Amino acid sequence: MRINRGLHRVWAYVRSAPGTYVWLSVLFVSTVALHHMSPDFEEQFLRQRSTNIHELSSNPVRVLVSSAMWIDGGHWLPYVVLFSVFQAPAERWLGTARWLAVCAAAHVLATLISEGALLWGIRHAMAPASAVNTLDIGVSYSLAGVIAVLVYRIPAPWRYVYGFAVLVVYAVPLVTGRTFTDLGHFTSALIGFGCYPLVRGRERVRIPKETAGASSG
């Protein structure tokens, strides 16, 4: 009986955030596919789906979508935890449509800004010309945006502690590493903070246990 109750709660939680777990399912399939590719073919395959400067200049929409369907590094289980802790609560709170809007804004805008900065660096001899083909895939920009937007879900004064912690987590790598991906992650967090118009009026929304399986759009 306890096992059945536990499984029912897990299933209810999954159903309450359909977008999150459909996305995770796609990532699972793509990760399994990667593990069946040879290293040389995998690199070439992913590079064609990467949001690098070369691909963005020729197939921007395709690579912006496809790059979010693959995991950099090929480790799926950590994303199950991250999606369950951050993406699923955000989707349940905002509804699938608004949650997806935050994900898309963070992923697309941070990609364009970070790759634009990389292009500037190439043109000013601060980065090698080969960087136009650099590998840039994954869901970390959208995740950073969602982590940041959840600040509006937390009541004061803990809201400010959480917001400061998010800034530190993404600002420190930018200061110490100064790579285009560090810039992308920091930008994603700022975009998440800037999504307040999407969450206005929902700061105090709570999801009762009896309706945990439902998701608003």
Side-chain angles (χ1 to χ4, degrees):
M1 290 295 294
R2 290 181 179 179
I3 294 176
N4 289 337
R5 288 177 183 174
L7 291 174
H8 176 74
R9 289 177 180 175
V10 170
W11 177 238
Y13 191 78
V14 169
R15 287 191 299 127
S16 72
T20 296
Y21 290 100
V22 167
W23 197 356
L24 264 178
S25 299
V26 172
L27 293 174
F28 174 76
V29 172
S30 63
T31 300
V32 171
L34 283 182
H35 287 306
H36 287 80
M37 297 178 187
S38 66
D40 291 339
F41 179 78
E42 177 184 330
E43 182 177 356
Q44 180 183 4
F45 180 86
L46 291 179
R47 205 171 296 282
Q48 293 174 351
R49 287 152 182 80
S50 170
T51 49
N52 55 46
I53 296 169
H54 174 73
E55 294 295 336
L56 280 172
S57 65
S58 55
N59 302 290
V61 176
R62 179 179 66 81
V63 295
L64 282 168
V65 174
S66 63
S67 64
M69 300 298 118
W70 304 87
I71 295 175
D72 187 13
H75 299 290
W76 181 73
L77 285 178
Y79 286 91
V80 176
V81 176
L82 291 171
F83 271 48
S84 297
V85 171
F86 296 107
Q87 299 278 31
E91 184 181 359
R92 294 176 68 205
W93 170 46
L94 296 173
T96 300
R98 295 189 187 192
W99 162 78
L100 190 58
V102 175
C103 290
H107 176 67
V108 173
L109 295 178
T111 295
L112 297 178
I113 290 171
S114 60
E115 291 293 341
L118 180 59
L119 179 60
W120 184 89
I122 293 171
R123 289 178 175 175
H124 289 79
M126 299 175 65
S130 60
V132 297
N133 290 310
T134 201
L135 187 61
D136 186 19
I137 61 167
V139 299
S140 58
Y141 290 171
S142 60
L143 182 61
V146 167
I147 290 173
V149 82
L150 281 171
V151 71
Y152 301 115
R153 182 80 164 100
I154 301 171
W158 298 110
R159 170 179 297 180
Y160 307 110
V161 176
Y162 178 87
F164 178 75
V166 171
L167 281 175
V168 169
V169 166
Y170 290 110
V172 169
L174 177 61
V175 173
T176 58
R178 293 185 291 181
T179 67
F180 78 95
T181 52
D182 294 329
L183 174 61
H185 290 130
F186 183 73
T187 302
S188 300
L190 295 182
I191 291 168
F193 289 136
C195 284
Y196 178 71
L198 288 173
V199 308
R200 187 179 300 161
R202 301 186 70 87
E203 298 95 324
R204 298 179 180 275
V205 172
R206 295 292 182 270
I207 302 176
K209 290 182 180 178
E210 62 269 18
T211 60
S215 175
S216 57

